[in-house]
Amino acid sequence: MTVMKCAQCGENLETEKDKGWIASISGSIMGDEVTDTYYFCGGCGAYTLEVSHDRFLGREDVPEGTPVPEEEGNQRVRLIGKCPDPWDKKCRCDAHREYFGGCLD
Ligand SMILES: [Zn+2]
Ligand SMILES: [Zn+2]
């Protein structure tokens, strides 16, 4: 099981669906599938962003999170929420295009 730690305060974050992570979005960038997952820390109020790249699958590294301030995280989570299918890396809705900018294949 993956244990994510808050990138800001070091608390363990719940990674189970419905408990811990808030939002996740996938896109295809230059042939690689990239998934950004946001976790919210109830302890310090910051988000932790975990970026996973399909080319790194199979590595056993402990995932490293990047701290995201609450306000910015809220905006991104809201944007992800506009997409009906954020896990679909082939989705080209407004939310996907805005999130990934011009980087999508
Ligand atoms: Zn925290
Ligand atoms: Zn979309």
Side-chain angles (χ1 to χ4, degrees), residues 48-98:
T48 294
L49 167 62
E50 180 195 7
V51 179
S52 55
H53 245 247
D54 67 350
R55 74 161 66 150
F56 295 139
L57 275 185
R59 289 188 0 172
E60 295 295 324
D61 293 352
V62 176
E64 272 187 43
T66 307
V68 177
E70 183 173 9
E71 194 177 323
E72 189 182 339
N74 283 338
Q75 283 173 7
R76 295 202 203 170
V77 167
R78 217 175 294 135
L79 181 62
I80 292 169
K82 289 184 195 165
C83 177
D85 202 2
W87 296 277
D88 182 359
K89 65 176 178 176
K90 295 192 171 65
C91 179
R92 293 293 178 272
C93 71
D94 289 348
H96 259 89
R97 285 208 303 263
E98 188 178 336

Side-chain angles (χ1 to χ4, degrees), residues 17 21-27 33-37 80 83-91 96:
K17 202 176 172 184
W21 60 257
I22 305 293
S24 187
I25 188 167
S26 296
E33 184 177 344
V34 175
T35 302
D36 283 4
T37 305
I80 292 169
C83 177
D85 202 2
W87 296 277
D88 182 359
K89 65 176 178 176
K90 295 192 171 65
C91 179
H96 259 89

Side-chain angles (χ1 to χ4, degrees), residues 5-13 40-48:
K5 285 188 187 298
C6 174
Q8 181 155 285
C9 74
E11 278 291 310
N12 283 340
L13 298 170
F40 183 73
C41 176
C44 70
Y47 285 86
T48 294

